[in-house]
Amino acid sequence: MTFVKTPIILALSGALVLSACTDPSQIGANSSNPKAQRGALIGAGAGAALGALSKGDGNRGDGAIVGALVGSAIGAGIGYSLDRQEADLRNQLGNDDVTITNTGDRLIVSLPQDILFATDSFAVRPDLQNDLYTVAGNLQQYPESTIQVVGHTDSDGDAAYNQQLSERRANAVGNVLRNAGVSSARIRTFGRGENQPVASNLSAQGKAQNRRVEIVILPNA
């Protein structure tokens, strides 16, 4: 067991060095490139684990090292692509009400309910579809990804009703993206109801933050 763990640790350490030494001109204007580095580390961890499992008992250490190095390179590439897509999307949207979070392995585009739906409605307002069409255009510029559309509500009202409403809103946003040209094969829709708040439901401001639809962009490895 110790034999397996030690090479994995060494491999991950190597990935840290690799991510720190990457040429800034290769991965963006920001010389520190934290998101690309985070992508490299995520890839290294997954690669190390898979590499170790794919080898026999006597070769697991080598498999972990090779897996970590390959995973690190793939992860860094994903991180760089997400950085570019994030920058393009911010420029294209130009809407401070839409938040974009780059975790290093995915982009999360969060659209508040108030810019998409009337209260208790799951019909996307025609005059407020421009942001979704902008997102759809960006998704077509970067086609190598899977899209999750996730609806969320606050905790007001019946939980079962909120769950249904969140599903319908996710489906409505997904349909707009499809109608704007994004392949149906890339899109999955989910409703989370009131179960995943990002703020307290004890204040009006917190409830407004919780009423949202998230478009999660997951690059294909």
Side-chain angles (χ1 to χ4, degrees):
M1 186 64 68
T2 302
F3 179 77
V4 176
K5 287 181 177 179
T6 301
I8 292 176
I9 293 172
L10 290 173
L12 291 175
S13 299
L16 276 168
V17 173
L18 285 174
S19 64
C21 295
T22 305
D23 181 356
S25 67
Q26 299 292 320
I27 56 177
N30 182 352
S31 61
S32 61
N33 299 293
K35 299 186 184 81
Q37 290 179 16
R38 188 156 58 244
L41 293 177
I42 292 169
L50 290 174
L53 291 174
S54 67
K55 293 290 185 177
D57 289 342
N59 296 313
R60 285 186 179 177
D62 291 342
I65 292 173
V66 172
L69 294 175
V70 173
S72 176
I74 293 172
I78 288 173
Y80 171 49
S81 178
L82 284 177
D83 284 348
R84 289 192 304 171
Q85 186 172 7
E86 176 192 8
D88 287 347
L89 189 54
R90 288 186 186 280
N91 289 333
Q92 292 159 1
L93 279 170
N95 186 343
D96 292 337
D97 290 329
V98 178
T99 61
I100 304 172
T101 303
N102 186 340
T103 67
D105 67 337
R106 70 193 62 195
L107 293 181
I108 303 172
V109 182
S110 184
L111 301 106
Q113 168 211 288
D114 297 342
I115 68 172
L116 292 175
F117 305 99
T119 302
D120 289 331
S121 171
F122 58 88
V124 180
R125 290 172 51 182
D127 58 321
L128 298 178
Q129 291 188 18
N130 287 341
D131 287 332
L132 290 179
Y133 277 92
T134 298
V135 173
N138 180 270
L139 294 176
Q140 292 176 81
Q141 287 180 292
Y142 294 87
E144 298 301 320
S145 62
T146 299
I147 314 304
Q148 295 181 352
V149 183
V150 189
H152 302 271
T153 71
D154 61 27
S155 62
D156 284 353
D158 179 71
Y161 174 81
N162 287 337
Q163 175 62 33
Q164 186 179 61
L165 181 62
S166 69
E167 292 171 3
R168 288 176 171 175
R169 285 179 169 173
N171 288 334
V173 170
N175 286 336
V176 173
L177 296 179
R178 293 184 187 97
N179 292 337
V182 181
S183 170
S184 295
R186 297 175 61 192
I187 300 174
R188 302 289 183 271
T189 60
F190 307 91
R192 296 291 183 251
E194 60 190 58
N195 295 321
Q196 294 181 352
V198 293
S200 171
N201 278 306
L202 298 178
S203 69
Q205 181 180 12
K207 289 177 182 178
Q209 290 178 259
N210 292 331
R211 297 189 300 267
R212 68 199 190 279
V213 174
E214 293 176 339
I215 300 172
V216 184
I217 303 167
L218 298 163
N220 299 330

